[in-house]
Amino acid sequence: MSDNVLVREIMTKPVKVVREDTNLQEVIATLNSFDINSIIVVQGKRPVGIITSRDALIRGFEQGLPAREIKAGMIASAPVITINQEASLEEAADTMRRKRIKHLPVVNNSELVGIVTARDIVFAIPSMLRIMEEVCRSHPETFPQT
């Protein structure tokens, strides 16, 4: 069933993007104003990284610098994992599961054209909930026993 649904059919577009030199304050303001959980870092139309809300908080704080001095390129996860717009949702779900990611930028000829999330896949094909649960499940860190 999911083989018949293509990523381009459910992806969100246009995608909110920032350049590598955008400061963290602007990144956070964009995430907040559009009520989104991730933003793509681009060079031209090509995705080169991704920043999630969690990245902005944790990696930004770890820098120990004012938010205006931290650039998107300093905290983005890179290289970014992408999927072609003609891929099936099953392929997207499998990629997310294997790479343990919840946001997957969509490309056409290496240019950013959309984004698909674990949530998008579950809403489009509820039968894929089990696979997406694995993606979304938090993996607690293992602490040494005392």
Side-chain angles (χ1 to χ4, degrees):
M1 175 176 157
S2 59
D3 286 333
N4 297 331
V5 180
L6 301 179
V7 169
R8 68 176 158 78
E9 296 175 48
I10 70 153
M11 69 184 183
T12 299
K13 59 182 182 180
V15 183
K16 301 302 177 207
V17 300
V18 293
R19 294 186 332 244
E20 289 178 292
D21 63 348
T22 302
N23 71 49
L24 180 58
Q25 185 172 357
E26 293 175 60
V27 169
I28 292 170
T30 303
L31 291 168
N32 186 45
S33 67
F34 289 100
D35 194 26
I36 54 177
N37 292 319
S38 67
I39 195 160
I40 307 300
V41 180
V42 295
Q43 284 180 348
K45 294 182 180 181
R46 191 173 56 87
V48 294
I50 185 169
I51 300 173
T52 65
S53 300
R54 185 175 189 278
D55 295 335
L57 175 66
I58 293 174
R59 293 180 185 165
F61 182 78
E62 285 177 340
Q63 295 291 323
L65 298 169
R68 285 191 171 121
E69 294 179 24
I70 300 169
K71 303 302 179 195
M74 296 166 65
I75 61 169
S77 295
V80 67
I81 297 163
T82 62
I83 194 157
N84 187 281
Q85 69 177 359
E86 299 301 322
S88 70
L89 285 191
E90 186 174 272
E91 185 180 343
D94 185 58
T95 298
M96 292 171 141
R97 181 188 54 77
R98 282 184 296 104
K99 300 295 185 175
R100 293 183 144 174
I101 57 175
K102 299 175 193 172
H103 307 90
L104 193 55
V106 181
V107 295
N108 181 30
N109 297 322
S110 299
E111 288 188 8
L112 183 66
V113 294
I115 189 165
V116 66
T117 67
R119 184 178 183 162
D120 295 334
I121 292 173
V122 169
F123 279 116
I125 304 178
S127 62
M128 296 190 84
L129 177 61
R130 199 161 182 84
I131 293 170
M132 292 295 92
E133 279 179 339
E134 189 177 330
V135 170
C136 295
R137 189 179 308 127
S138 63
H139 299 281
E141 294 181 1
T142 305
F143 295 99
Q145 304 235 339
T146 55

